[in-house]
Amino acid sequence: MKNLENVILGFKGGRDSDFIKYIKENDLLSYQEKELVNEIWKESGRFELWNNKSIHVGKNNAVKFMTENFPLSKKANEIIAIAISYEWL
């Protein structure tokens, strides 16, 4: 997981960047790591987590969900949640 975390931590995206494209095009990641990110993205972007008046509540819900369900650091989860939050804006 260290390799995957390092790649995630290296993501310098913003509103106009595409996190999933960044992951898919990264040659340092294995197929399994890319599939894990796709699963994390799909599960952590669910309506139930983000259906709130505040995008910050949705982000916090997603980080908590990822921390409880996937083997990544909180910082990596926060980066993913921020990337997902742009989808909900």
Side-chain angles (χ1 to χ4, degrees), residues 1-3 12 19-20 25 36 42 56 69 71 82:
M1 284 300 130
K2 188 70 174 163
N3 183 51
K12 304 295 183 216
F19 178 77
I20 293 298
E25 293 178 353
L36 176 60
K42 178 182 170 191
H56 299 292
N69 293 284
I82 290 167

Side-chain angles (χ1 to χ4, degrees), residues 5 8 23 40 64 68 78:
E5 285 198 26
I8 292 169
I23 294 296
I40 292 169
K64 182 178 181 209
E68 293 173 353
E78 287 172 349

